[in-house]
Amino acid sequence: MISRRSSPPRTTDEDTYSARWAVAVAAVSALIGGFLVRLSWSQHEHFGTFGFDTGIFTQGTWLLAHGHSPFVTIRGLNLFGDHASYILALVAPLYRLLPDPRLLLFLQVIGVVLPSLAIYRIGRDKVGPRVAFAVASGYVIYPAMNHAALWQFHPETFAAGLLSLGALFAHLKHYRLMGLMLLLGVLCKEDVGLVIAGFGLYLVLTGVRRIGLAVMLSGATYFLFVTFVIIKWVNGGQGSIYTARLYGIEGEGIGVVIQALPQLLWHAFIHATSPLGISYLGLVFAPMLFLPIMAPRALLPIAGPMLLNLASTTEYQRSIEYQYLATSAPFIALAAVYALEKIGPVRRRGVLAVAVIVVSLPMAYRYGPFVNTVKRVYQPLPAVDVGRNAVLNLVPSNAAVSAQANTTPHLANRTEIYEFPNPFRPSNWGRDDAPVAPEVAARVKYVVVDPRSFGNDDLKTYLELRKDPSWEVVYNQGVVLLKRP
């Protein structure tokens, strides 16, 4: 964010004092970050990651790492026809060296924890080191941030760190570095362009008019062009699947969305004023004592994501338990810093900063992911998961496989991996669950499932495979491995 005030030169004692608080922020961030990494890896090892979305991005990154077209068979779409997660092309060389989904989970935690350092650095200049430490610490235990770190894998979590660095460089008036961070950030997902557009408007309103206008127009143009032109081109003339599924917008093109804007705003209002919407907004702002509301200009970067969340036809998008606040969380904390700057005297500001931590801790315990995740992963592997691990070692690395959702990410480093019952029966695959060609199903040589967990339709598909004499039961200890020549 931008500071329009000139600060007096800092003394050596002040620098030492500030450095100690900076070390404290780094220590807290490293502690929470390390814990999140351990939880995310344990969750994966306990088969708590799924084809949607960890498996999708794992396969897409593996394909890019090996120079293949990134058509993700788990999703039935090109990786870049699903979302514009071009940042994964930059991650791919590293993934070739370390081909494990846990690499992506590790980088995800780095992405969502990194903003704490930018929040402290900006806050130090605005409200002093102690208060900045309190807000930065409140951020690393912010429930929505921690849910984003642990809910599967999503590339927009990288944008959290990149956008916060962009805000820091803007604060320091290093605009070229700011531009680089924003550029990398927008490569994470198409709707990050809306965050950047809001940030550009913030710059305009805080006096950085020319640069801010360029940032605002660039972000908005990128979002519209990628969403309605590039994704459509990647998909062979079919636009994004999400305008209809998530927002009820029938038809394609920018004009259709512009016409639907009043409808989106109305839906956002209705949802925001509903009991669930009020609860959602409370969980967004309460950990920061509702302070961000006192700095509305600083909240402009989150206006786009919040509008999409509130306008969505799906309730889970208005929940803090997924990734939908990943790019908003850093700006919510920064807005709290700007609100505290308005508050005087200094003692009152300090009391509120302490209150942020006092309130954040029980909210992190009650509404964050830690308790439930720890209960799931800090226990011996159940027999069914031991069986899954045994099966994984029996599947060749180059074979086409259909596997259950929680096994798919473990087998995603290959050109053909399907989430059962695909490709034998289309389910949540491709644009409209169009029939899968028989030759695709014929290429699958291994099936990995736990039939005890099936619903009627999936069980019927599984039993049909068992009746086919070409399939051999290789393993049957709760988890079943089928193989055919």
Side-chain angles (χ1 to χ4, degrees), residues 40 69 73 149 153 167 231-232 286 316 378 392 405 427 429-430 437 452:
S40 66
S69 171
T73 54
F153 169 78
I231 288 179
K232 183 176 181 179
Y316 63 79
Y378 280 99
L392 294 178
S427 173
W429 193 88
R452 297 169 301 178

Side-chain angles (χ1 to χ4, degrees), residues 402-405 418-429 436 441 444 447 449 454 457-462 465:
S402 178
Q404 223 159 346
Y418 301 91
E419 190 172 281
F420 191 86
N422 293 316
F424 307 105
R425 178 174 59 82
S427 173
N428 201 21
W429 193 88
V436 178
V444 174
V447 171
V449 292
F454 281 157
D457 290 339
D458 288 354
L459 182 60
K460 180 180 178 181
T461 302
Y462 167 74
L465 293 178

Side-chain angles (χ1 to χ4, degrees), residues 387-403 407 410-414 416-417 444-449 474-475 479-483:
R388 286 193 179 96
N389 277 323
V391 164
L392 294 178
N393 295 323
L394 299 176
V395 179
S397 60
N398 60 347
V401 184
S402 178
T407 314
H410 296 261
L411 294 164
N413 289 345
R414 63 190 68 233
E416 283 193 272
I417 172 71
V444 174
K445 302 302 181 183
Y446 289 84
V447 171
V448 183
V449 292
V474 177
Y475 187 96
V479 175
V480 177
L481 174 62
L482 303 180
K483 174 188 175 182

Side-chain angles (χ1 to χ4, degrees), residues 17-31 117 120 129 133 136-137:
Y17 179 70
S18 175
R20 289 173 179 169
W21 284 107
V23 170
V25 169
V28 170
S29 300
L31 178 65
L117 304 181
Y120 171 77
F133 167 81
S137 298

Side-chain angles (χ1 to χ4, degrees), residues 143-262:
M145 185 278 283
N146 289 293
H147 278 296
L150 294 178
W151 176 245
Q152 304 304 309
F153 169 78
H154 300 90
E156 58 263 43
T157 53
F158 296 168
L162 294 165
L163 294 173
S164 67
L165 289 177
L168 173 59
F169 288 129
H171 170 75
L172 298 174
K173 297 182 172 57
H174 298 326
Y175 295 118
R176 290 184 179 179
L177 289 174
M178 175 202 76
L180 176 61
M181 293 300 105
L182 298 183
L183 174 61
L184 291 173
V186 83
L187 296 179
C188 297
K189 192 181 177 187
E190 62 277 8
D191 57 15
V192 175
L194 294 176
V195 181
I196 291 174
F199 182 65
L201 179 57
Y202 168 81
L203 293 176
V204 170
L205 296 178
T206 52
V208 190
R209 292 182 178 83
R210 183 175 61 85
I211 293 174
L213 186 61
V215 169
M216 180 177 67
L217 293 176
S218 297
T221 301
Y222 181 90
F223 168 73
L224 294 172
F225 183 70
V226 169
T227 302
F228 299 108
V229 178
I230 298 299
I231 288 179
K232 183 176 181 179
W233 173 73
V234 171
N235 286 333
Q238 297 177 317
S240 172
I241 64 176
Y242 296 106
T243 51
R245 289 190 185 183
L246 299 183
Y247 304 104
I249 299 174
E250 300 298 334
E252 297 179 356
I254 297 174
V256 171
V257 174
I258 293 175
Q259 291 177 3
L261 190 56

Side-chain angles (χ1 to χ4, degrees), residues 80-155:
F80 302 136
D82 189 14
H83 287 298
S85 303
Y86 307 128
I87 195 74
L88 294 178
L90 302 180
V91 175
L94 181 58
Y95 194 84
R96 179 148 190 169
L97 297 175
L98 300 168
D100 192 303
R102 286 172 293 187
L103 171 65
L104 300 180
L105 298 175
F106 171 78
L107 294 175
Q108 175 164 266
V109 171
I110 297 298
V112 297
V113 171
L114 183 61
S116 63
L117 304 181
I119 292 164
Y120 171 77
R121 180 61 182 83
I122 295 172
R124 187 200 73 178
D125 292 346
K126 306 297 288 181
V127 293
R130 285 185 298 179
V131 175
F133 167 81
V135 177
S137 298
Y139 169 79
V140 295
I141 57 175
Y142 183 67
M145 185 278 283
N146 289 293
H147 278 296
L150 294 178
W151 176 245
Q152 304 304 309
F153 169 78
H154 300 90

